[in-house]
Amino acid sequence: MAEGKHFIQEIIEEELKEGGRCYGKTVHTRFPPEPNGYLHIGHAKALEIDFGMAEQYGGLCNLRMDDTNPTKEDEEFVDAIKEDIKWLGHTLGDRFYYASDYFEQMYEYAVELIKKGLAYVCELTPEQMKEMRGDTQTPARSPYRDRPVEESLDLFRRMRDGEFEDGKMTLRAKIDLASGNFNMRDPVIYRINRLPHHRQGTKWVIYPMYDFAHPIEDALEGITHSLCSLEFEAHRPLYDWVVNNISVECKPRQIEFARLGITNTVLSKRKLRNLIESGYVEGWDDPRMPTLCGLRRRGYTPAAIRAFHERNGVSKVNSLVDFAFLEYCLREDLNKTAKRAMAVLHPVKLIIDNYPADMTEEFTVENNPENPDDGTRSVSFSRELWIEAEDFMEVPAKKYFRLFPGNEVRLKSAYIVKCTGCDKDEDGNVTAVHCEMDKDSRGGNPADGRKIKSTIHWVDSRTCVDAEIRLYDKLFLTEQPDLADCNYLDFINPDSLEIINGAKVEASLADTKPADRFQFLRVGYFCADNKDSVPGHLVFNRAVSLKDSYKPEAQ
Ligand code: ATP
Ligand code: MG
């Protein structure tokens, strides 16, 4: 478990001190998703750090759509990203930006670099550029490196005007062809690409590369700390080179942290999209997806997701976190916040033969014993109930203490009953279980204090309502489905969804609203599906089972 301060907090606090880089300044971070997919649990780590640092130090955090790449970007994703961030509990206010709004300024900074002799138009094809990239012993080459400034300025303007084919020319920063860091070997900072842009339309046919665009976006927004994941570490010298060589006042600092990996799933947007397009899941918000909208639909709470990231901490070492730890965090939250209810997934009739046929009782039960403020509700009881089929065995297995002929169990909060037998159809299937109640055990406590080993849940067949139950399991059968040399699709769990129709839930659930969460006693934590559940056709998703396979000490 993470304790104390993490290294980013230490850096920021040091810089805020008198004489530090940010002394007297407002801490300003940004979260820069590319709007080409929905946010997932890994993005949530980054955004918890970005928004978290701003909140902790009384600063600001911008949400910026990193939309400098014209392919596959869409307003649908922009709206979804905003919704997810708000759902996690962060305030956006009007701090919302598009990187593409800076295209004009980026162009001007590129011109500035050319004029300073720090950038040139190169006519190598991508293949030639690769060939001339050199290796650790040999510097890279470009025959265009020393072309006159005026020539580069003219060509760059004509690139913008659309005179040249895609791929025909690039603008390259003139840094160091012999650098041990290949990102510094005169990296391409602009390329020609005729794809239309989701906001700029066909205005541009040249687009800035990420490594050039990102530091400019940060500098223009006055970002003090540009927090990003570890794969950008080797790009930091280029980031610094850009902010130091263009005339911007703000010189943001890039700090990298480890990416989050999680077992039994994939987190790349490309792979997640492929799961949808290949029909393995229903969409970005399928409850099996590690996306925030998927987790939300599954029943995850913002508190559980934030606790998960907080406890994992922030470090510089990439790690793979057990999915069970995410489930552990959810269970901890739902144990405190979810109302209890009774639901029978695989119903079989239980008939109490000595209970009057025309009688009904109401029991008052606590909504959540963990939280008395949650109040009570009334649960009806009558002669015919539904119980789980697995709570009866005509011939009991060893150590089976539930219903079998001659055995007594407690019906949760109601009465003690003794099993007397069962009815069967001609195939031998049990159609009803019979029992007799102990009339002196109202509330479930025997008058003589005798020990009752098992308590089972039930619903009243007169008042209960039908429900569809969706039981979700891991999407992949192996911990790391996307290791480099394997095809993640080979590890798809074919049984990641089981649908149960005809479950019976207690009457109080009849007016359940989408996204309401419950602990179904003895069964698990469930959430009313936020798309498909309506009064008259209730649908509950299993958020997480009750059983905890996760040992906190192991963390
Ligand atoms: P993907 O590989 O899924 O497409 P990405 O990194 O390209 O992800 P972006 O939209 O660019 O997706 O991500 C926005 C921010 O979220 C980036 O700063 C990125 O570093 C961060 N991020 C993405 N995935 C993770 C992760 N698994 N753990 C931590 N941060 C992440
Ligand atoms: Mg990215």
Side-chain angles (χ1 to χ4, degrees), residues 259-277:
R259 272 178 104 83
L260 171 80
I262 195 157
T263 60
N264 301 88
T265 190
V266 292
L267 288 181
S268 132
K269 280 183 276 197
R270 184 181 56 79
K271 289 176 185 164
L272 293 174
R273 178 179 297 112
N274 193 20
L275 289 174
I276 301 167
E277 285 168 0

Side-chain angles (χ1 to χ4, degrees), residues 32-34 36 43 66 210 231-232 259 269:
E34 199 177 335
N36 60 351
H43 294 119
D66 184 3
Y210 180 90
E231 70 272 22
F232 294 103
R259 272 178 104 83
K269 280 183 276 197

Side-chain angles (χ1 to χ4, degrees), residues 55-292:
E55 282 156 20
Q56 186 175 344
Y57 296 104
L60 301 166
C61 180
N62 293 0
L63 170 62
R64 182 199 308 144
M65 295 299 133
D66 184 3
D67 62 349
T68 52
N69 192 341
T71 52
K72 287 188 270 136
E73 293 172 353
D74 205 313
E75 285 306 314
E76 172 200 349
F77 299 128
V78 174
D79 294 338
I81 288 168
K82 284 184 175 172
E83 191 184 326
D84 285 345
I85 294 175
K86 284 191 202 142
W87 178 70
L88 278 177
H90 300 290
T91 331
L92 283 179
D94 54 1
R95 312 212 65 81
F96 176 67
Y97 302 86
Y98 286 97
S100 58
D101 285 346
Y102 310 130
F103 279 167
E104 196 65 51
Q105 279 131 302
M106 289 172 188
Y107 178 82
E108 291 304 327
Y109 287 125
V111 169
E112 180 186 350
L113 289 179
I114 301 174
K115 286 184 179 162
K116 286 179 172 168
L118 293 174
Y120 59 95
V121 170
C122 180
E123 292 170 47
L124 293 178
T125 63
E127 298 73 39
Q128 288 169 326
M129 210 180 284
K130 213 169 160 195
E131 267 165 42
M132 296 189 195
R133 201 167 164 255
D135 53 37
T136 48
Q137 309 302 319
T138 332
R141 283 174 296 132
S142 167
Y144 302 97
R145 193 167 207 254
D146 295 317
R147 92 183 327 158
V149 166
E150 287 310 318
E151 205 175 294
S152 280
L153 277 178
D154 177 57
L155 288 172
F156 188 50
R157 186 187 46 76
R158 289 161 61 195
M159 277 168 68
R160 176 184 178 157
D161 290 346
E163 268 190 45
F164 311 112
E165 306 274 286
D166 288 15
K168 190 94 175 64
M169 285 178 194
T170 57
L171 183 70
R172 293 176 72 174
K174 194 170 178 177
I175 309 180
D176 179 5
L177 288 178
S179 176
N181 181 343
F182 280 58
N183 296 314
M184 299 296 271
R185 291 190 170 190
D186 288 10
V188 171
I189 58 174
Y190 263 93
R191 71 207 150 110
I192 305 173
N193 187 344
R194 279 186 165 67
L195 281 178
H197 186 275
H198 78 126
R199 299 187 76 234
Q200 302 282 334
T202 51
K203 181 172 175 201
W204 293 90
V205 295
I206 54 170
Y207 288 96
M209 303 301 286
Y210 180 90
D211 283 341
F212 177 66
H214 205 79
I216 295 178
E217 296 153 22
D218 286 345
L220 289 174
E221 290 176 15
I223 301 302
T224 55
H225 297 86
S226 181
L227 311 173
C228 62
S229 41
L230 216 50
E231 70 272 22
F232 294 103
E233 195 169 27
H235 297 250
R236 192 186 338 127
L238 180 50
Y239 183 99
D240 292 339
W241 185 92
V242 173
V243 292
N244 289 326
N245 284 293
I246 60 173
S247 41
V248 280
E249 208 178 298
C250 168
K251 309 287 181 198
R253 172 174 177 182
Q254 175 178 307
I255 303 171
E256 311 86 21
F257 55 82
R259 272 178 104 83
L260 171 80
I262 195 157
T263 60
N264 301 88
T265 190
V266 292
L267 288 181
S268 132
K269 280 183 276 197
R270 184 181 56 79
K271 289 176 185 164
L272 293 174
R273 178 179 297 112
N274 193 20
L275 289 174
I276 301 167
E277 285 168 0
S278 313
Y280 292 105
V281 295
E282 278 167 29
W284 289 99
D285 67 349
D286 186 295
R288 290 164 289 186
M289 293 281 266
T291 50
L292 294 178

Side-chain angles (χ1 to χ4, degrees), residues 294-364:
L295 291 168
R296 174 162 68 233
R297 189 168 171 195
R298 175 88 174 250
Y300 273 78
T301 59
I305 291 174
R306 293 178 76 161
F308 171 73
H309 289 299
E310 209 164 290
R311 288 162 173 209
N312 280 325
V314 179
S315 82
K316 278 233 171 224
V317 187
N318 280 329
S319 65
L320 183 70
V321 180
D322 197 332
F323 198 91
F325 184 54
L326 182 59
E327 297 191 319
Y328 171 84
C329 293
L330 178 63
R331 217 177 265 122
E332 250 197 0
D333 185 36
L334 293 182
N335 184 41
K336 283 181 285 182
T337 57
K339 291 191 174 156
R340 274 51 174 172
M342 290 199 278
V344 175
L345 270 45
H346 299 102
V348 67
K349 254 305 163 55
L350 179 72
I351 302 170
I352 308 167
D353 291 305
N354 63 342
Y355 195 90
D358 53 357
M359 188 164 135
T360 288
E361 281 177 86
E362 295 286 337
F363 289 100
T364 302

